[in-house]
């Protein structure tokens, strides 16, 4: 019977996996592994540049490229984004910029337009908020090289170019807005010496603001005086800049240069992923990990020696039948496994934590193996959503198993609360934030169709999987306690000040936070300062260290608590390591005021709301790790001594 149920559960899990992948993949060719699908271009082949969202680290609100009055093609074609891209606010569309492989172009005119008061204000607002234009060529994002001295190494690359800049004319104090209307592109390629085919390995741009001049009336055949391919005259920074004002005429132009590169196609993302001073980055991470490993080793040694002495002492006393009064943690053996208050809620949180732990571990493994490369935009977020849904079966299993240990009988109620408590909280916050973003007319607002897909993933797949896992978990025999529990609870003696629950819980969160806070800085920088993060190998190591640290600090404080004859360890073991989420949120607040330049209230609300969700998830994850560590620890020590 058990084998039949297990096979049915596995078959259901497999079917739901296939359905989920089909639902979230808009076409079969979206699945992409780096280094597997290169595209060869021969001389003269067309290269279509796609435009993506406008982004700003000051507002954190993305907008579609054509929300500004840039030059529009006759027909705008939206690329088919995956679920992760839509949630990130990506809006990938075609553009007027069309190159021919290895055929340089000079001063190509895109279009001419005359600004009115409305369009001038739109450009000024975006320049004021430091918005950048993002473009894509052969799946590579457009970058602006920022040169450094030879001692400092290769240039730093900035994702996208600024819409414009603010400045002053010499001798004037009036601040003006200038538009980047000339783009000097450089396409880097790696050529196959045998076939003469080439692969694109770099896409760079240097933007210019130039007030183009010409003679006579404007027409499609008008030759510019400021840049002329016939006269080999190019745009430079010495040209008069293009002001953004009412009734100003703007002419958009671009150059294209092709540069052969020794970089191979499989390594073309390396330049993009090494955007900061990696030596300081690696040194900081390794230093942090060594400190945490040392502290964890010290804690483990102290615990093992102390426990070994205690267990040997108690067993020796009972063997010799010495009538000495018991002290310490053995005194509470008849109460230590008494179900806690709000045990149902604890089961729900533990189940959700197991779901998170499975999600994080599998995601880290796939990312470390290179399956979630930045070249697959939105892949990381899509994978995390899919894994969250599929891990629902483990959430239901864990919550039901613990619920049965507490002698619970209504497994369906626990399954329902597990399926809805955390997702409903997050979805409610997300829905309110989405309404705020929609009110700002940002492309970051999730469309109704995508919102419906998320609800379907939740109700149609995640909830059934939670019930399947709960059914399987509840059918398993209950976990037996190593000692019996008295009917009447024992009185807890007065505790020392340092064993106060609030104090010990807050102390317990410091070490787990210390294991991740340096890595947290780089993660926050990549999210809020629009940079790539792709050192998942080190992040996986940090995750393992975090798990070990959460487990050890929870065990140590649980042991001290039991030695003080306080047997209410269930919730405290969860909160001890879970309190690290409080420090995470405090650090996020510190980061906001010291590293970010966000001034708009709506952007501040978005930041703190998203960081609150992240901290809540971190609380559930670390709390569950600490709980299971203490769950195993208490059973181990009370089954190791002889209880009369």
């Amino acid at each position: 019977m058990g084998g039949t149920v297990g096979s049915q559960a596995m078959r259901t899990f497999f079917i739901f996996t296939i359905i989920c992948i089909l639902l979230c993949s808009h076409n079969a060719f979206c699945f992409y592994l780096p280094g597997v699908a290169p595209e060869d271009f021969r001389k003269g082949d067309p290269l279509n540049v796609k435009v993506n969202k406008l982004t700003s680290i000051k507002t954190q609100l993305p907008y579609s490229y054509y929300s500004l009055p840039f030059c529009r093609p006759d027909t705008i074609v939206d690329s088919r984004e995956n679920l992760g891209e839509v949630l990130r606010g990506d809006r990938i569309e075609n553009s007027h910029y069309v190159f021919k492989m290895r055929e340089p172009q000079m001063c190509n005119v895109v279009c001419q337009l005359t600004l009115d008061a409305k369009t001038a204000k739109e450009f000024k607002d975006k320049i004021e908020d430091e918005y950048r234009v993002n473009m894509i060529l052969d799946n590579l994002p457009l970058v602006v090289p920022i040169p450094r001295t030879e001692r400092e190494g290769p240039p730093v690359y900035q994702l996208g170019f600024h819409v414009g800049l603010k400045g002053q004319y010499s001798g004037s104090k009036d601040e003006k807005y200038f538009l980047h209307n000339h783009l000097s592109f450089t396409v880097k390629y790696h050529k196959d010496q045998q076939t003469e085919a080439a692969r694109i390995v770099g896409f760079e741009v240097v933007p210019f603001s130039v007030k183009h001049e010409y003679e006579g009336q404007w027409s499609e055949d008008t030759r510019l005086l400021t840049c002329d391919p016939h006269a080999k005259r190019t745009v430079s920074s010495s040209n008069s800049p293009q002001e953004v004002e009412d009734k100003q005429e703007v002419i958009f132009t671009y150059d294209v240069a092709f540069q052969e590169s020794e970089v191979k196609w499989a390594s073309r993302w390396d330049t993009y992923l090494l955007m900061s001073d990696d030596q300081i980055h690696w040194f900081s991470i390794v230093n942090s990990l060594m400190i945490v490993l040392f502290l964890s080793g010290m804690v483990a040694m102290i615990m093992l020696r102390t426990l070994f002495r205690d267990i040997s002492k108690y067993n020796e006393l009972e063997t010799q039948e010495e009538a000495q009064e018991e002290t310490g943690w053995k005194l509470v053996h008849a109460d230590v496994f008494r179900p806690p208050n709000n045990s149902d809620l604890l089961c729900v949180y533990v189940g959700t934590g197991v779901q998170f732990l499975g999600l994080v571990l599998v995601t880290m493994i796939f990312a470390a193996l290179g399956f979630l490369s930045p070249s697959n935009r939105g892949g990381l977020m899509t994978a995390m959503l899919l894994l969250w849904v599929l891990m629902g079966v483990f959430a239901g299993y864990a919550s039901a198993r613990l619920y049965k240990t507490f002698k619970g009988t209504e497994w369906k109620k626990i399954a329902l609360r597990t399926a809805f408590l955390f997702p409903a909280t997050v979805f409610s916050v997300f829905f309110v934030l989405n309404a705020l973003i929609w009110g700002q007319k940002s492309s970051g607002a999730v469309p109704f169709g995508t919102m419906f897909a998320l609800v379907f993933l939740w109700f149609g797949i995640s909830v059934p999987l939670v019930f399947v896992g709960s059914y399987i978990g509840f059918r398993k025999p209950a976990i037996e306690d190593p000692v019996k529990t008295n009917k009447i609870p024992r009185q807890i003696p007065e505790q020392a000040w340092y064993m106060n629950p609030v104090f010990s819980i807050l102390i317990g969160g410091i070490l787990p936070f210390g294991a991740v806070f340096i890595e947290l800085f780089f993660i926050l920088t990549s999210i809020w300062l629009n940079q790539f993060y792709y050192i998942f190998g080190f992040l996986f190591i940090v995750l393992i260290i975090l798990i070990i640290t959460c487990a050890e600090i929870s065990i140590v404080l649980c042991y001290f608590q039991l030695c003080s004859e306080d047997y209410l360890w269930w919730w405290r073991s969860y909160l001890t390591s879970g309190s690290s989420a409080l420090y995470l949120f405090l650090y996020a607040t510190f980061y906001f005021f010291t590293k970010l330049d966000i001034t708009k209230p709506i952007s501040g609300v978005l930041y703190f709301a998203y960081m609150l969700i992240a901290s809540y998830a971190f609380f559930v994850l670390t709390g569950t790790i600490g709980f299971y560590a203490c769950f195993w620890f208490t059973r181990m020590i009370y089954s190791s001594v002889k209880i009369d």
Side-chain angles (χ1 to χ4, degrees):
M1 180 66 181
T4 304
V5 172
S7 62
Q8 288 177 348
M10 290 304 296
R11 193 179 303 115
T12 305
F13 182 82
F14 177 76
I15 292 172
F16 276 129
T17 304
I18 298 299
I19 293 173
C20 199
I21 292 173
L22 290 175
L23 282 171
C24 295
S25 298
H26 287 271
N27 62 59
F29 300 98
C30 283
F31 184 73
Y32 170 83
L33 297 180
V36 174
E39 187 172 356
D40 294 325
F41 298 94
R42 297 188 178 276
K43 188 172 182 179
D45 285 351
L47 303 177
N48 296 312
V49 176
K50 295 182 179 181
V51 292
N52 199 353
K53 60 188 176 182
L54 307 174
T55 56
S56 168
I57 60 176
K58 290 186 68 174
T59 69
Q60 303 296 333
L61 291 171
Y63 289 90
S64 66
Y65 177 81
Y66 293 113
S67 64
L68 286 178
F70 287 117
C71 304
R72 292 170 172 260
D74 296 333
T75 304
I76 297 177
V77 180
D78 291 321
S79 297
R80 306 186 74 181
E81 291 101 0
N82 59 40
L83 184 59
E85 287 177 307
V86 175
L87 293 176
R88 284 169 31 133
D90 286 348
R91 297 296 182 267
I92 303 173
E93 298 159 314
N94 61 324
S95 74
H96 260 304
Y97 300 97
V98 179
F99 313 151
K100 289 188 177 180
M101 186 64 179
R102 293 161 59 192
E103 292 185 5
Q105 302 175 34
M106 183 183 293
C107 203
N108 273 18
V109 177
V110 183
C111 75
Q112 175 266 355
L113 61 89
T114 302
L115 301 179
D116 55 26
K118 180 182 177 183
T119 54
K121 185 179 185 304
E122 290 174 350
F123 274 121
K124 285 182 179 180
D125 289 342
K126 293 298 185 289
I127 294 172
E128 181 70 36
D129 290 331
E130 299 179 6
Y131 270 87
R132 299 178 190 173
V133 177
N134 294 280
M135 296 183 177
I136 300 169
L137 177 63
D138 190 37
N139 206 35
L140 272 181
L142 180 67
V143 293
V144 177
I146 302 175
R148 298 191 290 183
T149 62
E150 292 184 1
R151 290 184 179 181
E152 293 176 334
V156 176
Y157 292 96
Q158 169 193 286
L159 279 174
F161 64 91
H162 286 100
V163 173
L165 68 156
K166 292 190 298 181
Q168 299 169 338
Y169 289 111
S170 58
S172 173
K173 295 183 179 180
D174 294 334
E175 197 167 56
K176 299 288 186 180
Y177 292 85
F178 303 107
L179 182 66
H180 283 142
N181 60 321
H182 178 85
L183 304 177
S184 182
F185 294 105
T186 300
V187 178
K188 295 183 177 181
Y189 63 93
H190 182 79
K191 188 169 65 173
D192 189 323
Q193 299 299 330
Q194 296 180 347
T195 64
E196 290 298 312
R199 294 173 180 174
I200 295 173
V201 295
F203 186 34
E204 301 176 2
V205 70
V206 177
F208 293 94
S209 178
V210 54
K211 176 65 175 175
H212 284 299
E213 298 175 359
Y214 57 90
E215 294 179 348
Q217 295 294 319
W218 174 261
S219 68
E220 293 183 0
D221 300 325
T222 300
R223 289 176 60 175
L224 299 175
L225 301 177
T226 40
C227 70
D228 188 350
H230 302 284
K232 302 297 182 182
R233 187 183 299 116
T234 60
V235 170
S236 67
S237 56
S238 62
N239 290 98
S240 298
Q242 173 65 60
E243 285 189 36
V244 180
E245 292 294 344
D246 186 17
K247 297 182 175 56
Q248 280 279 346
E249 183 185 43
V250 181
I251 300 173
F252 290 91
T253 56
Y254 68 93
D255 302 330
V256 185
F258 289 86
Q259 180 181 330
E260 188 169 358
S261 173
E262 294 298 323
V263 176
K264 294 185 178 180
W265 189 91
S267 305
R268 66 178 186 165
W269 276 88
D270 292 354
T271 304
Y272 293 82
L273 302 179
L274 299 176
M275 291 190 176
S276 58
D277 195 336
D278 56 334
Q279 291 185 349
I280 296 177
H281 183 83
W282 297 120
F283 176 78
S284 299
I285 294 175
V286 172
N287 183 57
S288 175
L289 294 180
M290 292 302 294
I291 292 173
V292 172
L293 281 173
F294 174 76
L295 291 175
S296 300
M298 291 289 292
V299 166
M301 271 187 12
I302 293 171
M303 286 302 305
L304 288 174
R305 293 188 61 181
T306 303
L307 274 176
F308 181 77
R309 186 180 67 247
D310 281 357
I311 292 172
S312 300
K313 174 184 174 183
Y314 286 136
N315 286 340
E316 183 181 357
L317 288 175
E318 292 196 352
T319 302
Q320 298 176 1
E321 297 181 354
E322 295 183 6
Q324 295 185 11
E325 185 180 356
E326 298 173 354
T327 58
W329 54 270
K330 193 181 177 186
L331 270 178
V332 296
H333 66 83
D335 296 275
V336 73
F337 295 111
R338 188 181 306 281
N341 295 328
N342 298 316
S343 59
D344 292 5
L345 184 62
L346 180 63
C347 295
V348 171
Y349 270 114
V350 168
T352 306
V354 169
Q355 189 174 7
F356 258 114
L357 185 60
L359 158 70
V360 172
L361 285 174
V362 176
T363 301
M364 286 298 101
I365 292 172
F366 276 98
L369 293 176
F371 285 87
L372 300 177
S373 166
S375 59
N376 184 15
R377 277 177 308 279
L380 179 63
M381 188 170 292
T382 303
M384 292 180 70
L385 281 171
L386 290 175
L387 287 170
W388 168 264
V389 169
L390 299 177
M391 290 295 168
V393 67
F394 298 104
Y397 180 87
S399 60
R401 284 282 283 160
L402 184 60
Y403 180 67
K404 192 168 185 178
T405 302
F406 292 148
K407 307 298 187 291
T409 56
E410 301 178 6
W411 68 272
K412 293 180 182 178
K413 181 182 72 173
I414 288 297
L416 193 66
R417 295 178 68 180
T418 304
F420 281 92
L421 181 63
F422 183 87
T425 304
V426 173
F427 188 82
S428 300
V429 176
F430 177 75
F431 187 82
V432 173
L433 293 178
N434 195 62
L436 294 175
I437 298 172
W438 179 80
Q440 297 292 315
K441 299 181 180 178
S442 168
S443 65
V446 177
F448 176 78
T450 305
M451 192 71 76
F452 178 79
L454 292 174
V455 172
F456 177 78
L457 287 175
W458 179 15
F459 284 86
I461 300 178
S462 180
V463 173
L465 284 179
V466 171
F467 272 87
V468 169
S470 297
Y471 175 76
I472 297 173
F474 198 76
R475 286 181 61 86
K476 293 282 186 179
I479 301 173
E480 295 295 331
D481 297 329
V483 291
K484 294 181 179 180
T485 302
N486 289 340
K487 293 182 178 180
I488 302 175
R490 190 174 188 273
Q491 185 176 359
I492 299 174
E494 186 177 351
Q495 301 292 301
W497 66 269
Y498 52 82
M499 290 308 298
N500 180 275
V502 175
F503 180 78
S504 63
I505 287 171
L506 292 177
I507 289 295
I510 295 176
L511 196 57
F513 173 73
V516 299
F517 88 95
I518 291 181
E519 200 65 25
L520 180 64
F521 170 80
F522 293 101
I523 294 174
L524 291 178
T525 300
S526 67
I527 294 174
W528 300 107
L529 295 183
N530 199 26
Q531 296 180 11
F532 282 119
Y533 182 90
Y534 197 61
I535 49 171
F536 291 109
F538 261 98
L539 186 59
F540 184 73
I541 296 174
V542 171
L543 175 64
I544 299 301
I545 297 298
L546 174 66
I547 293 173
I548 295 172
T549 308
C550 286
E552 289 187 347
I553 195 66
S554 297
I555 288 173
V556 169
L557 293 181
C558 179
Y559 174 72
F560 290 152
Q561 180 185 351
L562 294 176
C563 286
S564 299
E565 301 177 24
D566 183 356
Y567 52 84
L568 302 178
W569 63 274
W570 296 94
W571 272 108
R572 199 188 292 194
S573 65
Y574 195 100
L575 297 173
T576 294
S577 53
S579 65
S580 57
L582 174 62
Y583 297 103
L584 188 151
F585 187 76
L586 292 176
Y587 181 79
T589 304
F590 170 79
Y591 184 88
F592 177 85
F593 289 107
T594 58
K595 298 297 181 182
L596 299 183
D597 188 23
I598 293 177
T599 55
K600 292 191 175 182
I602 182 68
S603 303
V605 170
L606 290 176
Y607 176 86
F608 283 105
Y610 283 131
M611 291 313 303
L612 191 61
I613 291 175
S615 301
Y616 185 27
F618 194 73
F619 164 75
V620 174
L621 171 65
T622 53
T624 299
I625 295 169
F627 170 81
Y628 271 117
C630 292
F631 189 76
W632 165 82
F633 171 74
T634 51
R635 273 161 172 68
M636 183 196 72
I637 63 173
Y638 284 101
S639 61
S640 300
V641 297
K642 299 175 182 177
I643 305 294
D644 292 334

